[in-house]
Amino acid sequence: MAGVGFRRWAQALSKGKGSGISALLSGCRAASGLSKDSLPGPYPKTPEERAAAAKKYNMRVEDYEPYPDNGEGFGDYPKLPDRSQQERDPWYQWDHPDLRRNWGEPMHWDFDMYIRNRVDTSPSPVSWSTMCKQLFGFIGFMLFMFYVGEKFPAYQPVVSTHLNARILFSLFFCWCFFLTVTIFSSFKMAGSSFF
Amino acid sequence: MADYREAPLATRPKTLDPNEYFNLSPEQRRAEEARGALRANLKRQYQLQLNNPHRKELIEDPALTRWVYARGNPYAHFRPTNKTSLLGAMFGVVPLFALYYIFKTDRV
């Protein structure tokens, strides 16, 4: 019983002419803004309703196609082609150039998704099969090579560290010896009275 | 390029689109002219308002108002069907119980 009553109240709210608080209180709508017949309505069932809806949305009757009536909440809103705004002519003088839209033009249901910052349906420069082959080919190749590297590791050759230290020390000793010999002989040759 | 296949949900380039080359019958052209007439009428209305020197307020776009109203009031045309009930259950009811169960049982 309470469930039925609650549903009735919710339906009355949603079907009411008002919006928000005004619907709750008075059931009336403000007189400013569009009139009821130029706002979206229920799904059009007769051809006259379709013609009126097409006229309301500034479309030709042949172009007007509402969403299928399956209770998903579209009403008589027109089903426009799913094209992003990026696809529209960049050189035409739109009324709103950043949105590539003219004033009064019917907006797609997902208009805020199809703006140029977001989803883009424009044609890809390379065909789909080429893109798939390149991407998955690269990823597959890299995965395969990493797998092979795991299976057959390859390391740098390294001598023992003790032996390495002895080699380096003896090299340094030789260098010091030759340095002193060079300095000593250069002094000798210059005939200095150092010694 | 003859075997160009577009990405799913994307369009073909204009030069590969058959519409460019085959939709040239007089009916098609009349349809395009009618659409152009509608567009021109809207342009005229907008330009008159835009260039009116006595205008002090914003130019209201009824198409925008209709879009906002339609997006904001879907429940007026909502009907519980199989699909909508299933969607409602999947998004509203199942996560509630599933997340409760997961948070209660899967503890670190």
Side-chain angles (χ1 to χ4, degrees):
Chain A
M1 289 305 140
V4 171
F6 176 76
R7 196 147 73 94
R8 286 257 176 79
W9 175 72
Q11 272 175 345
L13 249 191
S14 60
K15 287 186 165 66
K17 297 189 289 264
S19 59
I21 302 290
S22 61
L24 279 171
L25 297 178
S26 61
C28 290
R29 196 164 48 91
S32 59
L34 296 180
S35 55
K36 189 75 187 286
D37 60 347
S38 49
L39 284 174
Y43 184 83
K45 297 194 178 54
T46 66
E48 293 85 24
E49 282 181 13
R50 285 183 87 97
K55 192 162 155 51
K56 176 172 73 178
Y57 289 110
N58 292 320
M59 297 171 78
R60 283 174 70 233
V61 183
E62 294 83 3
D63 292 339
Y64 173 71
E65 184 206 336
Y67 280 95
D69 186 23
N70 50 12
E72 283 176 1
F74 291 110
D76 65 354
Y77 203 83
K79 187 175 191 311
L80 298 161
D82 293 334
R83 300 276 165 259
S84 76
Q85 301 300 96
Q86 182 68 24
E87 283 194 33
R88 298 199 176 191
D89 189 358
W91 298 105
Y92 173 76
Q93 297 275 18
W94 301 100
D95 292 336
H96 306 293
D98 49 342
L99 297 170
R100 291 189 184 168
R101 181 183 164 267
N102 283 321
W103 184 87
E105 189 188 324
M107 295 169 79
H108 194 283
W109 183 269
D110 292 317
F111 179 79
D112 49 351
M113 181 174 82
Y114 285 126
I115 58 173
R116 287 162 63 207
N117 271 329
R118 297 179 179 175
V119 169
D120 183 6
T121 59
S122 49
S124 49
V126 195
S127 72
W128 178 247
S129 56
T130 314
M131 288 199 287
C132 280
K133 277 184 228 158
Q134 286 182 3
L135 179 67
F136 295 123
F138 176 74
I139 291 178
F141 174 73
M142 294 306 289
L143 284 173
F144 175 70
M145 291 308 283
F146 277 120
Y147 171 73
V148 164
E150 280 289 321
K151 262 277 191 266
F152 306 110
Y155 302 111
Q156 290 273 5
V158 172
V159 80
S160 87
T161 34
H162 177 70
L163 189 59
N164 214 5
R166 286 180 66 84
I167 291 168
L168 283 174
F169 179 72
S170 43
L171 275 173
F172 177 68
F173 180 72
C174 294
W175 176 76
C176 288
F177 173 72
F178 281 114
L179 187 68
T180 46
V181 162
T182 316
I183 292 170
F184 185 71
S185 61
S186 67
F187 271 124
K188 256 304 191 117
M189 280 171 66
S192 66
S193 54
F194 206 79
F195 301 106
Chain B
M1 217 26 163
D3 55 352
Y4 175 93
R5 187 160 79 89
E6 60 271 23
L9 300 174
T11 44
R12 290 180 83 83
K14 220 161 191 301
T15 44
L16 291 179
D17 189 6
N19 264 339
E20 273 280 296
Y21 305 108
F22 296 126
N23 282 350
L24 300 173
S25 64
E27 288 81 30
Q28 299 278 358
R29 287 176 198 259
R30 254 177 259 129
E32 284 293 332
E33 273 176 32
R35 282 181 210 126
L38 278 170
R39 267 201 301 271
N41 187 25
L42 288 172
K43 269 271 197 211
R44 185 180 146 273
Q45 284 180 31
Y46 180 64
Q47 291 292 331
L48 278 176
Q49 285 178 276
L50 187 68
N51 300 321
N52 181 7
H54 301 296
R55 175 177 66 89
K56 285 193 282 288
E57 63 277 343
L58 276 179
I59 305 176
E60 183 202 354
D61 188 354
L64 183 65
T65 315
R66 278 190 285 270
W67 180 73
V68 170
Y69 183 87
R71 284 286 293 257
N73 299 305
Y75 298 112
H77 311 293
F78 175 77
R79 258 190 358 254
T81 65
N82 285 342
K83 181 175 170 194
T84 55
S85 311
L86 186 70
L87 281 172
M90 291 300 296
F91 279 97
V93 176
V94 165
L96 190 65
F97 291 102
L99 287 171
Y100 177 85
Y101 174 75
I102 290 168
F103 289 145
K104 281 293 184 186
T105 55
D106 188 14
R107 288 283 174 195
V108 168

